[in-house]
Amino acid sequence: MLVSEILRIKGNTLFTTAPDASVQDAVRVMAQHDIGSLVVMDRGRYAGMLTFREVLDALAKHGGTLGSLKIGDIYQRDALTAAPGLDVMELRRTMLERHARYVPVTDGTTLQGVVSFHDVAKAVYEEQSFENRMLQRYINVLSLIQISQPTRLLSISYPVFCCNKKNH
């Protein structure tokens, strides 16, 4: 399965923010839409990601308040990105290695969407469930074939040699 297939199934709703927006407003949007990340766009171009990880880190550094903090002060500029043609299993491995929960999908300079670790786990689960169902059907068909065609036993005759103790 490819990353583009996850986006196709998931849809293309994208939540963005600008570097000069307030972190407080970003948190409201994230809470309102039950999302864990916003794509940071600067003058129409992808600039990075704001996730709840950066928000929590900012809260810890600023005594539990966000005040007038701006997105540009805390967002992740070097976020992991994925190409739409990337295999989902490869993306999963990379996300695990980099501890990335949200990955923007870009085709060149065009942002196509964001894939979350939840999206990847769901896709892998569904793909493996489908493969398991196919294997179970295959095994069931093989079992039916074996039941409907009884095994033929081969009968082999061996010469029997008998010895009489008297002749020895």
Side-chain angles (χ1 to χ4, degrees), residues 35-162:
I35 56 174
S37 69
L38 294 172
V39 176
V40 180
M41 300 292 287
D42 191 10
R43 296 184 201 99
R45 292 190 163 273
Y46 167 74
M49 292 291 291
L50 176 71
T51 70
F52 62 85
R53 178 184 291 155
E54 289 79 36
V55 173
L56 290 174
D57 189 47
L59 283 168
K61 288 178 181 174
H62 295 93
T65 63
L66 296 173
S68 61
L69 205 55
K70 299 293 181 193
I71 303 291
D73 298 328
I74 67 167
Y75 79 97
Q76 186 181 7
R77 288 166 177 81
D78 62 344
L80 172 67
T81 60
L86 183 65
D87 181 74
V88 170
M89 297 303 274
E90 180 64 23
L91 177 61
R92 181 175 77 161
R93 184 188 63 74
T94 305
M95 289 177 83
L96 285 168
E97 286 174 359
R98 299 254 318 250
H99 299 275
R101 291 179 182 95
Y102 304 94
V103 177
V105 179
T106 57
D107 190 5
T109 58
T110 305
L111 178 65
Q112 295 191 338
V114 174
V115 175
S116 70
F117 194 80
H118 175 266
D119 298 330
V120 172
K122 182 179 175 186
V124 169
Y125 170 78
E126 289 174 358
E127 186 174 45
Q128 288 177 346
S129 293
F130 176 76
E131 289 174 1
N132 286 343
R133 284 193 307 277
M134 293 299 107
L135 284 171
Q136 287 171 345
R137 287 182 185 150
Y138 177 74
I139 290 167
N140 289 341
V141 167
L142 284 179
S143 297
L144 290 173
I145 290 171
Q146 288 177 349
I147 290 170
S148 67
Q149 296 179 2
T151 307
R152 294 183 184 152
L153 295 175
L154 294 176
S155 138
I156 302 174
S157 298
Y158 293 101
V160 178
F161 296 99
C162 231

